[in-house]
């Protein structure tokens, strides 16, 4: 049965979609477990949201590339909050825009270890708790890059095609259980994503030059909507793009001169 105050675990809650989702779901009365490598940020957010909304928020350092850290984070969160209903497997990143013959090994490792293995680890650690709670929802954060590739995005797209495969598999495996599975697959959203990708503020800003990108809050709103729909409704996959972006990739983006 749907709890009055669902307990939601979010990886990558120190910025972007993760932070925005934490803010929105706290305002809807959810208790939260927030993880990221920048622990100061998630702890400060936890304190702020507890004060503002009277919900319980557990915050801890987690690096989703490490199995022990993920297991420890999930265990401590469940102990602190008394269970778990919803997982937002959001932690992820892109590094560089290099073609396959020149992509740096450290870059593709960062993407595959975080975006693919990190998601698998997060799932494996959390699913038993969702099942135990008797009502659950798993959110994957895919990408338009999981639908169509672009030059220089080979390793990132590979990771997001993989996220889509994992989401579709889980949907099959959980059919008949009271756990919904949703993949949110956004296009261009202005967060710290481009800065992390390029490590260059001007280049990051240029990605969104002359167009209106989505915000982390827009993605949080998609998650809230899917979560609050009646239990028999499962939004399997949601592709969300700015009005200015008509293609899956940057091929057709309207920009003001
Ligand atoms: P941000 O860079 O703003 O946020 C990424 C979050 O992931 C941060 O909180 C970061 O925290 C966390 N993170 C990264 N690596 C790890 C790790 N190893 N362990 C734990 N946490 C980690 O970007 P977005 O909010 O935009 O990105 C969120 C997700 O959305 C990603 O999966 C991204 O691929 C996806 N996405 C983004 C789009 C965009 O245009 N912005 C479009 C489509 C999908 P910290 O550094 O503190 O660990
Ligand atoms: C992020 C969207 O176009 O940078 O997932 O790959 S894109």
């Amino acid at each position: 049965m749907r709890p009055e105050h669902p307990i939601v675990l979010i990886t990558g809650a120190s910025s972007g979609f993760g932070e925005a989702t934490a803010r929105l779901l706290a305002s809807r009365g959810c208790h939260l477990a927030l993880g990221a490598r920048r622990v100061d940020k998630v702890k400060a957010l936890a304190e702020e949201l507890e004060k503002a909304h009277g919900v319980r928020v557990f915050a801890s350092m987690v690096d989703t590339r490490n199995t022990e850290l993920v297991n420890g984070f999930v265990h401590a969160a469940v102990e602190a909050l008394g269970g778990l209903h919803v997982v937002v497997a959001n932690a992820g990143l892109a590094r560089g825009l290099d073609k396959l013959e020149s992509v740096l090994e450290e870059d593709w490792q960062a993407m595959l270890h975080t975006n693919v293995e990190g998601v698998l680890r997060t799932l494996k650690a959390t699913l038993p708790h969702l099942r135990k709670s008797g009502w659950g929802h798993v959110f994957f954060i895919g990408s338009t890059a999981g639908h169509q590739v672009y030059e220089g995005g080979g390793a990132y797209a590979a990771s997001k095609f993989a996220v889509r495969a994992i989401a579709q598999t889980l949907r099959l495996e959980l059919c008949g259980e009271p756990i919904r599975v949703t993949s949110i697959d956004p296009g261009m959203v202005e967060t710290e994503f481009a800065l992390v990708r390029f490590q260059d503020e001007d280049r990051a800003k240029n990605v969104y030059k002359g167009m209106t990108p989505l915000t982390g809050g827009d993605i949080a709103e998609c998650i809230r909507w899917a979560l609050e729909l009646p239990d028999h409704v499962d939004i399997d996959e949601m592709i969300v793009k700015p009005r200015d972006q008509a293609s899956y990739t940057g091929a057709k983006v309207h920009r003001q001169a």
Side-chain angles (χ1 to χ4, degrees), residues 1-3 6 134-137 171 177-181 225-235:
M1 208 172 90
R2 182 184 292 247
W135 181 88
H137 201 144
R171 180 80 171 96
E177 296 192 49
I179 304 176
R180 293 180 291 176
V181 178
W225 177 72
L227 182 64
E228 292 184 357
L229 285 168
D231 290 350
H232 67 284
V233 184
D234 192 317
I235 303 297

Side-chain angles (χ1 to χ4, degrees), residues 10-194:
I10 304 173
T11 62
S14 60
S15 70
F17 307 177
E19 178 187 342
T21 303
R23 289 184 181 282
L24 183 59
L25 295 188
S27 78
R28 307 294 293 178
C30 294
H31 301 303
L32 301 172
L34 307 179
R37 291 167 301 177
R38 287 172 293 174
V39 66
D40 290 357
K41 287 201 163 225
V42 283
K43 291 224 169 188
L45 181 61
E47 206 174 305
E48 180 193 331
L49 296 179
E50 281 192 329
K51 273 195 197 131
H53 303 292
V55 293
R56 282 179 293 139
V57 186
F58 171 82
S60 170
M61 197 287 278
V62 71
D63 184 334
T64 59
R65 294 170 299 180
N66 180 300
T67 303
E68 269 179 34
L69 290 176
V70 172
N71 291 344
F73 169 56
V74 173
H75 179 78
V78 169
E79 287 278 298
L81 299 171
L84 187 60
H85 303 101
V86 181
V87 177
V88 184
N90 162 73
L93 78 173
R95 292 300 296 265
L97 195 63
D98 299 307
K99 293 194 176 170
L100 291 171
E101 69 177 310
S102 51
V103 62
L104 297 175
E105 177 147 350
E106 68 193 63
D107 284 347
W108 60 251
Q109 280 193 354
M111 292 185 266
L112 296 176
H113 287 172
T114 313
N115 302 358
V116 184
E117 293 178 18
V119 166
L120 287 168
R121 252 177 224 117
T122 303
L123 266 188
K124 192 161 182 200
T126 53
L127 269 178
H129 300 290
L130 266 57
R131 194 168 266 133
K132 195 167 163 201
S133 78
W135 181 88
H137 201 144
V138 179
F139 286 92
F140 292 90
I141 306 298
S143 168
T144 45
H147 294 260
Q148 193 168 326
V149 300
Y150 54 91
E151 288 168 83
Y156 182 68
S159 76
K160 292 300 184 177
F161 268 76
V163 169
R164 212 163 141 226
I166 295 164
Q168 290 181 3
T169 306
L170 188 69
R171 180 80 171 96
L172 293 173
E173 290 178 356
L174 293 182
C175 187
E177 296 192 49
I179 304 176
R180 293 180 291 176
V181 178
T182 297
S183 183
I184 309 279
D185 297 355
M188 297 166 77
V189 193
E190 192 166 11
T191 59
E192 292 181 12
F193 177 84

